[in-house]
């Protein structure tokens, strides 16, 4: 029996180059070329899209309702059906997928973007933490990831050399990704917050991505080899870090079970692991075999545009299926400190 | 009409501050009041686990939890990370370790800072003790930090506690300030640069030909970049207006005054501005106005009547 009411596929994906700064561009100016690119790939016009959903965070821009400005890049007149999540675009994709499942739309445009350059993203992200017990201490995103890394080292699951190898492999893979912010040999560098060194941490940058979803025969018409979303689920864990076993990610595992990851082998995994240590946790939670291509795009260690990097994982996995380089891929997105929230999707291409 | 030239990148500091006032429920109130009194409280779940810091609902069953217990002020580090370069607002200005500490009698861990001479002095499993802040107000920062404790210091068991204190803390003010450097992007840079020469620069949509003022770089109707720059105005027409009777804080303008939508000549939509140089009760739709620039001003201070006859309604009705 089919898992879902409707077949839904990613039929197109586009992303910007991810750069340390894009001062010359407003958010809409950064997003618009990506929107045009993804629409052009399908031949659809904005007015033909059934549902539009975006993901971003006002805290990155430091301005309220900044996402409404990027809607100008879509073309929202005559009025369109639109929504926004204050989350990574992977969750916007989930909302769009639900919209298609309910039969209210046959196609959806999903986009997300983040400019981290205007502020200090390490400090900005402290504002997503529990405001009573945690945020007043201003523990930055690297510090929280470092606590998780040390817990993994103490548990014997990795060591500093193992972490460095993850960063090195990611940036070597990114050599084939023209959009990546960091690629090739990058020095492991000094400790940022020990045990994490510069090479264990994601670059801070600006970027955008967009995906088009379509149902059934519409997908077949728009794309030679659609990347069917055969499973998708997302889960969250308790917000208090001290309640969690930081060496594990039960939310990822449960989401993966519900998405059907474990029902058949995958050949590709695009994991949203902004810190090298998080890849260790995710590999275990997803039970990835040694022959799976993990983050062939370079992953978030090569480019981590906040709020877009998770959607990019789905897009990269889908693009490999479009190109015939993958038959069954798992894509993962995360949000919050130490992998607090996790989304897992399985994408499959039709076999010849 | 001129083609867009490479932008001069503008930047300006942008500060976002929000002193959120947050109320506390009974559990958080007891915990934070306890810190003020030098006592650390946790809660006990139905299956007997002691949670410190306390949560209000069981994370597994979602049942409400109210059974408070007092735990020790010594504990054990469950994981740590050495912070060689403390950032602003963090608990210590000198290098320190971030730690998760399981206090004696507790089953969960609390995030805080550990004051230690260097990373070689920190290990998972080490014993630490609370260092209280000199002045305590009922906040997590009443724990100034943790400090190393001798292995010989006795641990304590959790003991029931009423959670009642005189003058309980019922709320916190969560201060936050974030500093940004704002860059307005290509289109708005051109607009701001134009204003510095007392010109109003719009951008025309290459598809529908509407002229946007101020331009944001995209035509929201067509979803394409507006790249053709067009100077509009300086004069314009009042399309609609309101009379402001409430004096805004820090605003040096006498009430009542008129705030209006003004369609500058050549613009495809109205922008807004204050109307001066005419009694407030004589402002009307169709009034022809022009900008008044003050010396050194980076934008028009207000608009005043030009003395021309009023515009015909049909000329501006599409712009209301």
């Amino acid at each position: 029996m089919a898992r879902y009411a409707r077949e839904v596929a990613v039929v197109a994906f586009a992303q910007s180059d991810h750069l340390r700064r894009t001062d010359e561009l407003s958010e809409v100016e950064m997003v618009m070329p990506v929107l045009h690119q993804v629409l052009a790939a399908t031949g659809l016009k904005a007015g033909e899209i059934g549902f539009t959903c975006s993901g971003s965070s006002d805290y990155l821009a430091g301005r309220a309702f900044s996402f409404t400005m990027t809607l100008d890049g879509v073309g929202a007149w005559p009025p369109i059906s639109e929504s926004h999540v204050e989350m990574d675009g992977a969750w916007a994709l989930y909302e769009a997928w639900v919209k298609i499942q309910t039969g209210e739309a046959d196609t959806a445009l999903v986009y997300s973007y983040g400019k981290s350059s205007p502020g200090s993203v390490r400090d900005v992200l402290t504002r997503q933490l529990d405001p009573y017990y945690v945020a007043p201490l201003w523990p930055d995103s690297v510090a929280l990831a470092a606590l998780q890394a040390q817990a993994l080292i103490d548990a014997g699951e990795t060591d500093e050399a193992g972490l460095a190898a993850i960063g090195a492999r990611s940036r070597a893979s990114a050599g084939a990704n023209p959009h990546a912010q960091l690629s090739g040999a990058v020095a492991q560098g000094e400790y940022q917050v020990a045990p994490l060194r510069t090479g264990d941490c994601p670059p801070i940058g600006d970027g955008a991505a967009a995906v088009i979803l379509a149902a059934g025969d519409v997908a077949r018409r728009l794309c030679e080899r659609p990347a069917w979303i055969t499973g998708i689920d997302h889960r969250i864990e308790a917000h208090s870090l001290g309640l969690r076993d930081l060496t594990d990610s039960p939310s990822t595992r449960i989401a993966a079970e519900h998405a059907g990851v474990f029902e058949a082998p995958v050949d590709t995994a695009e994991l949203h692991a902004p810190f090298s240590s998080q890849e260790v946790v995710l590999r275990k939670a997803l039970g990835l075999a040694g022959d799976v291509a993990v983050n062939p795009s370079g992953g978030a260690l090569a480019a981590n545009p906040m709020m877009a990097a998770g959607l990019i994982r789905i897009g990269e996995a889908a693009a490999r299926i479009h190109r015939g380089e993958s038959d069954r891929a798992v894509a993962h997105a995360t949000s919050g400190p130490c992998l607090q929230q996790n989304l897992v999707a399985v994408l499959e291409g039709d076999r010849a | 009409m001129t083609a867009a030239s490479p932008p001069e990148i503008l930047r300006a500091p942008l500060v976002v501050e929000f002193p959120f006032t947050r109320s506390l429920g009974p559990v958080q109130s007891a915990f934070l009041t306890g810190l003020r009194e030098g006592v650390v409280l946790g809660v006990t779940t139905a299956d007997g686990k002691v949670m410190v810091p306390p949560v209000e609902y069981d994370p597994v069953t979602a049942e409400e939890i109210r059974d408070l217990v007092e735990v020790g002020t010594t504990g054990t580090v469950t994981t740590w990370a050495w912070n060689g370069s403390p950032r602003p607002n963090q608990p210590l200005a000198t290098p320190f370790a971030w730690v998760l500490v399981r206090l004696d009698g507790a089953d969960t861990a609390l995030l805080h800072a550990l004051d230690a001479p260097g990373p070689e002095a920190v290990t998972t499993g080490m014993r630490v003790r609370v260092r209280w802040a000199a002045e305590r107000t009922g906040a997590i920062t009443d724990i100034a930090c943790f400090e190393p404790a001798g292995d010989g210091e006795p641990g304590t068991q959790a003991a029931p506690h009423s959670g009642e204190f005189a003058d309980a803390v019922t709320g916190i003010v969560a201060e936050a300030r974030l500093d940004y450097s704002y860059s307005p992007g290509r289109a708005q840079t051109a607009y701001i640069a134009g204003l510095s020469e007392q010109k109003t620069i719009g951008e025309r949509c290459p598809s529908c030909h509407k002229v946007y003022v101020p331009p944001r770089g995209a035509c929201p109707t067509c979803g394409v970049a507006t790249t053709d720059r067009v100077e509009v105005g300086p004069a314009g027409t009042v399309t609609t207006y309101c009379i402001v009777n409430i004096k805004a804080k820090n605003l040096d303008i006498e009430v009542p005054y008129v705030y209006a939508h003004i369609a500058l000549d050549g613009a495809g939509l109205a922008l807004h501005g204050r109307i001066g140089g005419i009694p407030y009760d004589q402002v009307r739709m169709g009034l022809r106005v022009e900008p008044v620039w003050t010396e050194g001003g980076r934008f028009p201070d207000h608009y005043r009547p030009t003395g021309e006859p009023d515009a015909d309604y049909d000329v501006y009705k599409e712009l209301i």
Side-chain angles (χ1 to χ4, degrees):
Chain A
M1 198 179 110
R3 194 184 302 270
Y4 306 119
R6 302 186 79 190
E7 297 177 301
V8 177
V10 176
V11 296
F13 167 57
Q15 63 184 311
S16 67
D17 290 346
H18 307 295
L19 304 167
R20 179 62 190 91
R21 312 196 68 87
T22 52
D23 290 358
E24 72 286 6
L25 299 175
S26 67
E27 287 167 313
V28 65
E29 288 165 348
M30 184 176 74
V31 169
M32 203 161 33
V34 175
L35 297 173
H36 292 170
Q37 206 182 327
V38 79
L39 288 166
T42 58
L44 291 171
K45 303 219 170 352
E48 297 168 333
I49 295 284
F51 181 59
T52 297
C53 197
S54 60
S56 68
S57 174
D58 284 351
Y59 278 77
L60 295 173
R63 291 181 301 137
F65 294 96
S66 67
F67 71 90
T68 61
M69 301 299 167
T70 57
L71 196 55
D72 286 355
V74 174
W77 182 268
I80 61 170
S81 173
E82 188 268 348
S83 184
H84 174 261
V85 298
E86 190 80 4
M87 285 282 280
D88 187 288
W91 277 263
L93 180 142
Y94 187 89
E95 182 174 335
W97 176 85
V98 169
K99 195 85 168 178
I100 295 176
Q101 284 299 332
T102 61
E104 290 189 32
D106 291 331
T107 54
L109 168 63
V110 180
Y111 68 95
S112 64
Y113 61 92
K115 288 186 72 164
S116 296
S117 59
S120 166
V121 73
R122 282 174 69 173
D123 299 323
V124 168
L125 290 178
T126 65
R127 300 302 94 192
Q128 72 182 331
L129 303 169
D130 159 28
Y132 301 97
Y133 303 159
V134 182
L137 306 174
W138 292 78
D140 60 280
S141 47
V142 180
L144 297 174
L147 287 168
Q148 187 170 33
Q150 184 64 45
L152 286 163
I153 291 170
D154 287 337
E157 302 209 20
T158 188
D159 54 24
E160 289 193 34
L163 296 178
I166 290 170
R169 191 210 74 235
S170 298
R171 278 133 192 171
S173 298
N177 176 359
H179 303 290
Q181 187 176 340
L182 282 184
S183 63
V186 173
Q188 184 63 358
E190 300 293 312
Y191 284 122
Q192 293 298 301
V193 180
L196 294 180
R197 294 178 183 269
T198 310
D200 294 307
C201 303
I204 293 170
D206 303 349
V211 154
I212 289 179
L213 298 181
D217 288 341
V218 180
R220 293 184 183 89
R221 179 167 57 79
L222 295 174
C223 181
E224 199 172 322
R225 191 175 193 237
W228 301 107
I229 300 172
T230 59
I232 187 167
D233 197 78
H234 62 97
R235 301 280 154 163
I236 182 171
E237 300 183 24
H239 69 257
S240 179
L241 287 171
L243 284 176
R244 291 163 53 189
D245 173 1
L246 294 177
T247 67
D248 198 8
S249 183
S251 54
T252 298
R253 186 175 295 110
I254 295 168
E257 280 168 9
H258 285 255
V261 172
F262 306 125
E263 291 168 13
V266 295
D267 54 43
T268 298
E270 278 286 343
L271 308 179
H272 187 196
F275 296 93
S276 58
S277 43
Q278 294 177 344
E279 185 179 303
V280 176
V281 178
L282 293 170
R283 276 178 179 268
K284 183 171 69 169
L286 293 168
L288 296 181
D291 59 349
V292 176
V294 175
N295 288 341
S297 65
L301 286 163
N304 189 40
M306 294 299 304
M307 304 299 146
L311 180 65
I312 290 169
R313 304 281 72 75
I314 299 174
E316 289 281 8
R320 270 173 79 83
I321 289 171
H322 295 160
R323 294 193 298 262
E325 294 166 6
S326 168
D327 291 326
R328 189 170 196 266
V330 59
H332 160 268
T334 196
S335 187
C338 299
L339 301 171
Q340 188 188 6
Q341 304 171 59
N342 295 285
L343 180 148
V344 176
V346 177
L347 298 118
E348 295 185 58
D350 292 324
R351 317 281 172 122
Chain B
M1 192 187 298
T2 55
S5 55
E8 168 212 356
I9 292 170
L10 299 178
R11 283 193 195 90
L14 173 67
V15 179
V16 177
E17 284 182 285
F18 31 92
F20 278 128
T21 303
R22 295 183 175 274
S23 55
L24 304 172
V27 168
Q28 291 177 318
S29 172
F31 176 67
L32 294 179
T33 308
L35 294 184
R36 189 190 68 196
E37 303 304 320
V39 170
V40 184
L41 299 181
V43 286
T44 306
T45 62
D47 62 359
K49 277 183 87 177
V50 174
M51 306 216 160
V52 181
V55 294
E56 298 157 297
Y57 296 89
D58 188 311
V60 178
T61 65
E63 280 189 33
E64 190 172 350
I65 315 177
R66 291 290 179 270
D67 294 332
L68 294 162
V69 289
E70 180 177 351
V71 298
T73 55
T74 51
T76 304
V77 171
T78 63
T79 187
W80 62 284
W82 186 256
N83 188 24
S85 307
R87 304 174 74 78
N89 305 310
Q90 292 182 344
L92 295 167
T94 50
F96 67 89
W98 289 106
V99 282
L100 280 169
V101 176
R102 191 173 59 237
L103 289 168
D104 294 334
D107 294 299
T108 64
L110 171 83
L111 177 77
H112 221 292
L114 170 67
D115 189 6
E120 62 287 342
V122 187
T123 54
T124 296
M126 76 183 284
R127 299 283 295 157
V128 294
R129 101 165 64 76
V130 169
R131 180 191 296 167
W132 295 106
E135 283 183 32
R136 302 203 295 270
T137 60
I140 191 66
T141 47
D142 287 354
I143 298 176
C145 62
F146 283 85
E147 59 192 22
D151 286 339
E153 284 193 38
T156 46
Q157 300 292 310
H161 193 286
S162 69
E164 287 169 20
F165 299 94
D167 189 23
V169 176
T170 57
I172 59 167
V173 177
E175 299 275 359
R177 173 186 166 130
L178 297 169
D179 283 87
Y180 299 86
S181 174
Y182 179 67
S183 287
R186 181 194 57 78
Q188 293 182 82
T189 292
Y191 176 73
I192 293 167
L195 286 178
S196 69
E197 297 171 20
Q198 302 196 355
K199 290 178 182 171
T200 303
I201 308 289
E203 286 193 352
R204 190 191 308 276
C205 172
S207 177
C208 71
H209 308 298
K210 187 167 175 171
V211 174
Y212 290 93
V213 184
R216 293 193 222 279
C219 173
T221 302
C222 304
V224 297
T226 55
T227 48
D228 294 336
R229 289 190 190 143
V230 185
E231 186 178 341
V232 299
T237 301
V238 171
T239 62
T240 186
Y241 65 95
C242 66
I243 299 166
V244 180
N245 285 288
I246 299 170
K247 196 168 168 63
K249 198 176 167 187
N250 302 325
L251 190 66
D252 190 24
I253 298 170
E254 288 304 313
V255 292
Y257 64 89
V258 173
Y259 212 65
H261 275 188
I262 301 153
L264 295 178
D265 295 346
L269 74 172
L271 46 67
H272 46 85
R274 183 170 62 89
I275 305 296
I278 181 173
Y280 71 90
D281 56 357
Q282 290 178 30
V283 174
R284 56 204 179 264
M285 290 170 71
L287 181 70
R288 295 283 295 159
V289 294
E290 62 187 4
V292 178
W293 302 77
T294 53
E295 191 162 335
R298 291 293 307 264
F299 49 86
D301 178 72
H302 64 277
Y303 291 78
R304 69 180 172 212
T306 63
E308 296 167 81
D310 285 4
D312 189 59
Y313 177 69
D314 287 337
V315 174
Y316 63 86
K317 68 180 181 186
E318 299 295 330
L319 303 178
I320 292 174

